């Protein structure tokens, strides 16, 4: 397993290099710069700032200097937050995004698998059609539509929660539900399809013939094997929950890394955008690797390759 993990990380290095190159190129191709303001800076001051941050050098030299610092674990200083490095901003803000992602994942796993199993056990009935129809709606509705609706109903009309903030546990509810809806819906449909396939296998019919209880057949024999495609999906899903919180954090004014990423993109804070994208790319690699390891743990017959 150690060789497999090492191989995956070595394969990830060129992928991460391509990600940094593409992000770096797009940032410098886009119009505007980190020192653009409503009132333009004097030319000499802007020139000094560009020289201080190394932006007066050729782009190829800037890129290789960034890579050199990156290999030493230095993501550089933030252009828009003087006195802060990108390492410090990410270290301070990513725990909030991770916490939001974990809450959303717990909600999505619990309700997605439960609804999927329920629909599979009641195929072509009311308990199948209604949840799957709602799941399709959940997949189609974007989070920037769901978030204002939840705020309008539960924060403004019913006054159960705050409209924004991240101060107490009640502030976690609406953002977590908003993020979880898409993944709950997708997991429900994925679980239903996987369960229907497993329930038709010969060993399930054998278990029924032996007189095993429906509970044992469903949750011990069938669900364990039906979890394989779900676990495969969890890697990119968890990375997506953590990295896809830009809209949610902005709408609910959550002080996470996603909100800072949006602000950095508008501010042309090159180093913060690069550092955030790289952080999310690493998260995708790591979570996919964890999902592969869990798959082998669920089915020891599978080999690391």
């Amino acid at each position: 397993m150690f060789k497999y993990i090492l191989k995956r990380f070595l394969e990830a290095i060129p992928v991460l290099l391509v990600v940094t190159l593409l992000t770096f190129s797009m940032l410098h191709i886009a119009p505007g710069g980190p020192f653009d303001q409503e009132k333009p800076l004097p030319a000499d001051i802007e020139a000094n700032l560009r020289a201080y941050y190394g932006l007066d050098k050729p782009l190829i030299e800037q890129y290789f200097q960034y890579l050199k610092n990156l290999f030493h674990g230095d993501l550089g200083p933030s252009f828009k937050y003087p006195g802060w490095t990108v390492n410090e901003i990410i270290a301070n803000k990513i725990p909030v995004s991770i916490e939001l992602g974990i809450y959303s994942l717990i909600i999505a796993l619990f309700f997605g698998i439960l609804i999927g199993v329920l629909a599979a056990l009641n195929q072509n009935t009311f308990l199948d059609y209604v949840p799957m129809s709602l799941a399709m709606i959940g997949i189609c509705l974007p989070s920037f539509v769901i978030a204002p609706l939840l705020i309008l109903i539960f924060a403004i009309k019913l006054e159960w929660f705050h409209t924004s903030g991240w101060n107490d546990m009640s502030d976690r509810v609406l953002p977590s539900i908003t993020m979880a809806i898409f993944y709950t819906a997708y997991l429900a449909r994925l679980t239903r399809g996987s369960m229907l396939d497993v329930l038709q296998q010969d060993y399930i019919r054998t278990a029924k013939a032996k007189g095993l209880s429906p509970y044992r057949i469903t949750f011990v024999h069938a669900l364990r094997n039906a979890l394989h495609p779900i676990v495969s999906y969890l890697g990119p899903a968890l990375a997506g929950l953590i990295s896809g919180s830009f809209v949610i954090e902005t709408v609910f004014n959550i002080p996470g890394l996603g909100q800072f990423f949006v602000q950095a993109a508008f501010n042309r804070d090159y180093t913060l955008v690069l550092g955030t994208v790289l952080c999310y790319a690493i998260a995708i690699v790591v979570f996919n690797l964890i999902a592969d390891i869990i798959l082998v743990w669920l089915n020891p017959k599978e080999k690391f390759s």
Side-chain angles (χ1 to χ4, degrees):
M1 181 167 56
F2 175 76
K3 290 182 179 180
Y4 174 77
I5 295 173
L6 181 62
K7 178 185 175 184
R8 288 289 294 270
F9 276 115
L10 291 175
E11 290 174 347
I13 292 176
V15 174
L16 296 177
L17 288 175
V18 171
V19 169
T20 59
L21 178 60
L22 291 175
T23 307
F24 182 89
S25 302
M26 287 188 290
L27 283 171
H28 285 84
I29 290 172
F35 309 119
D36 292 350
Q37 299 179 5
E38 292 184 10
K39 183 179 180 181
L41 291 172
D44 57 336
I45 294 179
E46 183 173 348
N48 290 335
L49 284 172
R50 294 182 68 84
Y52 177 79
Y53 288 107
L55 298 178
D56 57 337
K57 299 176 182 178
L59 289 181
I60 189 68
E61 188 176 341
Q62 292 182 43
Y63 177 69
F64 281 108
Q65 182 62 46
Y66 180 80
L67 288 183
K68 180 181 177 182
N69 295 336
L70 182 62
F71 285 125
H72 290 88
D74 181 12
L75 295 174
S78 169
F79 296 159
K80 286 295 182 178
Y81 300 97
W84 285 81
T85 65
V86 176
N87 296 63
E88 292 171 337
I89 293 175
I90 291 177
N92 276 275
K93 300 304 176 182
I94 201 169
V96 175
S97 297
I98 291 175
E99 183 182 357
L100 176 59
I102 290 173
Y103 293 148
S104 303
L105 181 65
I106 292 172
I107 294 171
L109 279 175
F110 179 78
F111 288 102
I113 294 176
L114 181 64
I115 293 170
V117 171
L118 181 66
L121 295 176
N122 297 275
Q123 185 183 11
N124 298 327
T125 67
F126 178 81
L127 291 177
D128 182 19
Y129 295 141
V130 172
M132 290 302 102
S133 299
L134 293 175
M136 182 58 69
I137 295 173
I139 292 173
C140 296
L141 279 179
S143 57
F144 60 80
V145 173
I146 297 173
L149 288 175
L150 293 181
I151 291 174
L152 179 64
I153 297 171
F154 296 102
I156 296 177
K157 295 291 185 181
L158 298 177
E159 298 183 354
W160 289 356
F161 306 102
H162 300 135
T163 56
S164 63
W166 194 256
N167 301 311
D168 51 51
M169 286 304 298
S170 65
D171 292 336
R172 275 75 166 164
V173 176
L174 291 184
S176 300
I177 292 174
T178 304
M179 281 194 65
I181 284 176
F182 170 82
Y183 295 95
T184 301
Y186 193 90
L187 282 170
R189 295 185 66 85
L190 190 63
T191 303
R192 176 187 179 274
S194 183
M195 279 292 293
L196 286 176
D197 181 62
V198 170
L199 289 172
Q200 295 173 3
Q201 299 298 317
D202 291 338
Y203 72 91
I204 296 296
R205 287 192 286 268
T206 302
K208 291 179 179 178
K210 289 182 177 180
L212 296 181
S213 67
Y215 174 86
R216 183 174 179 82
I217 292 172
T218 301
F219 293 100
V220 177
H221 295 279
L223 186 58
R224 181 184 179 91
N225 291 312
L227 285 176
H228 287 199
I230 299 167
V231 173
S232 298
Y233 175 69
L234 284 185
L238 186 53
L241 282 166
I242 295 174
S243 62
S245 58
F246 308 144
V247 174
I248 306 300
E249 292 182 12
T250 302
V251 172
F252 289 96
N253 193 28
I254 298 172
L257 188 59
Q259 187 182 41
F260 268 71
F261 177 80
V262 173
Q263 294 173 356
F266 283 118
N267 294 332
R268 297 296 188 272
D269 195 340
Y270 298 153
T271 50
L272 183 53
V273 172
L274 275 165
T276 306
V277 169
L278 188 62
C279 181
Y280 289 147
I282 292 172
I284 292 173
V285 171
V286 171
F287 292 136
N288 279 326
L289 176 60
I290 292 173
D292 289 345
I293 293 173
I294 294 175
L295 275 176
V296 176
W297 174 73
L298 284 173
N299 186 5
K301 291 182 180 179
E302 294 187 15
K303 302 293 183 182
F304 291 110
S305 60

